[in-house]
Amino acid sequence: MFIHTKADDYDAIVIGSGISGGWAAKELTEKGLRVLVIERGRNVVHGKDYITEHKPNWEFPLHDRRINPEVQGSEDYQVQARTGQFRESNKHFFIKDTKNPYIEDKPFTWIQGDQVGGKSLIWGRQVYRWSDLDFEANLRDGIAVDWPIRYADIAPWYSYVEKHVGVSGEKLGLPHLPDGEFLPPMEMNAGEKFVKRGIERSFRDRHFTIGRVAILTQNHKGRAACHYCGPCERGCSTGSYFSSQSSTLPAAQKTGRLTIVPDSVVHSLVYDDAKNRVTGVRVIDANTKEQREYRARIVFLNASTLGSTRILLNSKSARFPNGLANSSGVLGQNLMDHHFMAGARGEIPGLKEHYYQGNRPNGIYIPRFRNLDEKTKRSDYIRGFGYQGGASRSGWGRGGSAPGFGVQLKRRLREPGDWSMGLTAFAECLPRAENAVTLSDETDEYGIPKLRINCAWGPNELAMRKDMADSAAEMLEAAGVKNVATYDLLKPDGLGAEPGLGIHEMGTARMGRDPKTSVLNAHNQAHDVPNLFVTDGSAMTSASCVNPSITYMALTARACDYAVKQMKEGAI
């Protein structure tokens, strides 16, 4: 059924070309392997295919408004349009719903890129190291399983990837938010500096800093410093923000050992029971529906959390009737995301003589301050949250609701409006077996079973949300912000801030110490199948409260180093 020829043999196959897949391609090719990258989406050429990058907003039919599911032009993107990152100018970087249908037993928004580079072209670029507060959390709380690694295991790999990526940020010296290899930080504006002084004066245990972001503030490794043009989500031809196209894939291509096959939907992995090895990958051409097979010595799964797990679940054999490498039975369980869309906002008095220039692609960050120790321990929930946000002045758009008309109104709108400040909490979700994905009986256009997703926030997340909003308001008011109002967009029916909207889905093929309770070992290697590695978000054992992408990168680089050593030793 699946065609195979000798020319289709490689040392390694990487499935997915996004943030972690790009890193796998770079590391494996630079270590001497012939690598095939399989990508389900179309090819996107760096720079050339950023077709809306500097197109003025007024040239778009809807002036580049945020497109929600009710707006004309979103018909093919009813799921993707739920996220605020989906706009008229970048919808071509999101997958059409018909290309990735799935079943929501409970509301879950699955956001996917649909091109070489995946979501690395549209991600938020916030990067924060995890600490042992995170890696020891499950063990400390007696929840799920213990991580098989600690911060000391991954710290050198954080440094390794940060030096290549280029991360701008400020060192704080906090044990629960370790410092990294930073380029100079971006500058906070006058409103943010005002709020920072007030919060740090009133709360000595809290810190207010500029975001740590994978955007260059200096020229770095052939990529130019950011010039603050603003629309990062349309693609960045200067390579000022990190993406697979601007950084890792060019590095892999430079070796002469990289092959990329776009428009190729992975059906399943080929498993040889006698050898206990994955021997290849079954692929369906997205355009012709032709079926073919590629073979390799090792396989890296980097198809995104849910994409990788779907492939494993669909790779069945006599030994693994419930999915490849699933002797533990936990494959598909413990789906997590960060819950957010709760916080506070208000008006900053004065500062009328201050403004800012350009479109800084970054905000501020307030690190976690709950449940760090006995002093900060809460009785109503475990784990914690951090805040992202920023200050700004309103523009001419405020005229839509302002009183007045005619010349006088127009003159007023030529001057910037008042300052305001908002804080939004990003909070940890606990791993729970009942938050799970399975294969349904329905199939997509390629004959692959649709994924069925059953995921909801639990009691701990819901208990945390009130504090997320109240603490934001408390800090803003202490800083001198006026007319402060809290918000929480989660509705009683679970919509408005449902899982998936954080676009930080994690878990479902977790790392662990025991093959009986986890899918992967300490090196992201499948316990059951030695030449299979999974290094995207599906490998995560818990969720922390900080953005996870830099951790995916570090885990991927570390796993590639281990895999190549194992190959040289003849172990795989």
Side-chain angles (χ1 to χ4, degrees):
M1 182 176 177
F2 288 89
I3 301 169
H4 164 65
T5 66
K6 182 71 175 177
D8 292 331
D9 281 14
Y10 294 85
D11 297 318
I13 292 175
V14 176
I15 301 173
S17 61
I19 283 175
S20 64
W23 266 100
K26 172 187 176 297
E27 293 302 298
L28 294 173
T29 54
E30 289 182 343
K31 293 179 185 298
L33 274 59
R34 291 179 60 251
V35 176
L36 174 70
V37 172
I38 301 175
E39 169 56 50
R40 69 170 290 152
R42 64 192 176 95
N43 190 33
V44 167
V45 178
H46 181 55
K48 172 180 173 291
D49 290 331
Y50 304 155
I51 56 176
T52 62
E53 182 178 10
H54 293 304
K55 185 176 181 178
N57 286 354
W58 58 82
E59 291 186 8
F60 292 95
L62 301 177
H63 292 187
D64 192 31
R65 67 171 290 180
R66 176 223 185 296
I67 301 179
N68 60 45
E70 287 75 42
V71 172
Q72 184 177 2
S74 67
E75 292 81 4
D76 294 329
Y77 303 92
Q78 288 294 291
V79 173
Q80 308 302 301
R82 297 177 192 172
T83 174
Q85 292 176 277
F86 184 80
R87 308 187 70 85
E88 188 179 10
S89 60
N90 69 347
K91 68 179 184 180
H92 52 285
F93 286 152
F94 291 80
I95 198 167
K96 290 184 178 180
D97 295 341
T98 55
K99 296 293 183 181
N100 183 44
Y102 65 99
I103 298 169
E104 299 175 80
D105 285 346
K106 295 175 183 175
F108 187 97
T109 297
W110 185 4
I111 300 299
Q112 278 195 295
D114 192 28
Q115 61 274 320
V116 171
K119 287 183 286 192
S120 77
L121 291 178
I122 50 177
W123 68 307
R125 303 167 299 281
Q126 295 287 308
V127 288
Y128 303 94
R129 292 188 181 197
W130 289 28
S131 73
D132 279 336
L133 181 71
D134 307 304
F135 291 116
E136 296 175 357
N138 283 356
L139 180 63
R140 183 175 58 249
D141 295 330
I143 287 177
V145 300
D146 184 21
W147 277 88
I149 61 173
R150 293 295 185 260
Y151 179 68
D153 297 310
I154 195 174
W157 296 100
Y158 276 134
S159 293
Y160 177 77
V161 300
E162 286 164 351
K163 289 175 181 177
H164 182 83
V165 167
V167 177
S168 59
E170 176 188 21
K171 293 189 175 184
L172 297 176
L174 300 176
H176 62 284
L177 190 74
D179 295 328
E181 308 289 340
F182 295 148
L183 299 176
M186 295 182 180
E187 185 179 4
M188 287 185 278
N189 61 39
E192 292 159 352
K193 291 176 181 177
F194 173 88
V195 176
K196 171 183 170 68
R197 288 192 296 270
I199 290 178
E200 293 185 346
R201 180 178 61 245
S202 301
F203 302 92
R204 297 304 176 97
D205 61 335
R206 303 182 192 180
H207 303 268
F208 187 110
T209 187
I210 192 69
R212 296 174 178 177
V213 64
I215 301 177
L216 306 180
T217 52
Q218 294 177 341
N219 294 346
H220 182 75
K221 295 186 179 295
R223 296 156 50 210
C226 178
H227 54 280
Y228 289 22
C229 67
C232 303
E233 69 280 358
R234 302 184 191 180
C236 180
S237 58
T238 61
S240 304
Y241 80 67
F242 173 84
S243 68
S244 295
Q245 269 88 346
S246 69
S247 185
T248 48
L249 291 180
Q253 199 85 52
K254 190 176 179 180
T255 68
R257 291 185 283 270
L258 176 68
T259 301
I260 301 177
V261 182
D263 296 310
S264 299
V265 180
V266 173
H267 175 279
S268 55
L269 304 184
V270 181
Y271 173 72
D272 186 323
D273 185 63
K275 296 179 179 178
N276 189 29
R277 297 291 188 273
V278 173
T279 58
V281 179
R282 300 184 183 97
V283 169
I284 300 172
D285 188 289
N287 300 313
T288 67
K289 305 299 190 294
E290 175 194 8
Q291 301 168 347
R292 58 185 182 271
E293 182 178 307
Y294 299 103
R295 304 180 74 87
R297 286 184 62 189
I298 61 171
V299 172
F300 268 68
L301 253 180
N302 301 94
S304 82
T305 293
L306 298 177
S308 290
T309 297
R310 183 190 187 197
I311 291 169
L312 290 174
L313 288 170
N314 199 44
S315 302
K316 299 180 180 181
S317 65
R319 182 183 173 191
F320 298 110
N322 298 314
L324 185 63
N326 190 26
S327 66
S328 65
V330 300
L331 180 67
Q333 298 177 8
N334 303 290
L335 177 59
M336 300 169 283
D337 186 25
H338 287 141
H339 62 110
F340 72 128
M341 296 185 175
R345 58 176 71 93
E347 301 166 5
I348 301 174
L351 304 181
K352 294 298 180 65
E353 70 279 15
H354 294 280
Y355 200 63
Y356 41 84
Q357 288 184 309
N359 296 286
R360 188 192 69 200
N362 192 12
I364 62 89
Y365 190 66
I366 298 176
R368 174 178 163 181
F369 50 83
R370 297 296 197 208
N371 292 322
L372 302 179
D373 50 30
E374 285 300 317
K375 182 180 177 182
T376 58
K377 187 175 182 179
R378 296 277 299 195
S379 60
D380 49 343
Y381 63 83
I382 60 173
R383 311 293 169 93
F385 51 85
Y387 288 101
Q388 297 180 33
S392 62
R393 295 189 73 172
S394 57
W396 60 265
R398 69 187 188 278
S401 58
F405 61 92
V407 174
Q408 290 184 338
L409 175 63
K410 291 179 181 179
R411 285 176 177 168
R412 287 203 308 272
L413 297 181
R414 288 178 179 175
E415 298 297 325
D418 295 329
W419 284 90
S420 63
M421 179 80 200
L423 294 176
T424 296
F426 279 75
E428 182 163 359
C429 166
L430 297 180
R432 291 188 299 277
E434 61 267 29
N435 283 342
V437 299
T438 56
L439 296 182
S440 73
D441 295 330
E442 301 177 25
T443 59
D444 63 13
E445 63 177 293
Y446 309 107
I448 301 172
K450 296 178 184 178
L451 204 62
R452 179 183 294 275
I453 304 176
N454 188 326
C455 185
W457 304 129
N460 196 69
E461 289 84 56
L462 297 177
M464 194 184 297
R465 293 187 71 85
K466 185 176 188 304
D467 190 29
M468 289 157 60
D470 290 348
S471 293
E474 179 187 33
M475 288 188 290
L476 291 178
E477 289 173 347
V481 178
K482 306 299 182 184
N483 300 320
V484 175
T486 62
Y487 66 92
D488 183 347
L489 300 187
L490 183 63
K491 301 174 184 176
D493 60 4
L495 293 171
E498 67 267 17
L501 279 174
I503 322 182
H504 295 161
E505 61 269 20
M506 290 174 271
T508 66
R510 69 186 177 193
M511 298 169 69
R513 301 177 186 275
D514 188 348
K516 295 180 181 179
T517 57
S518 59
V519 178
L520 308 172
N521 68 14
H523 295 280
N524 294 79
Q525 179 184 32
H527 287 298
D528 295 334
V529 185
N531 68 333
L532 174 62
F533 294 80
V534 186
T535 67
D536 57 21
S538 53
M540 307 302 272
T541 310
S542 64
S544 179
C545 70
V546 299
N547 304 54
S549 293
I550 197 71
T551 302
Y552 302 166
M553 298 186 221
L555 287 174
T556 300
R558 179 174 179 267
C560 289
D561 183 71
Y562 175 81
V564 173
K565 288 177 180 176
Q566 290 284 294
M567 292 177 73
K568 290 180 178 178
E569 294 172 2
I572 57 176

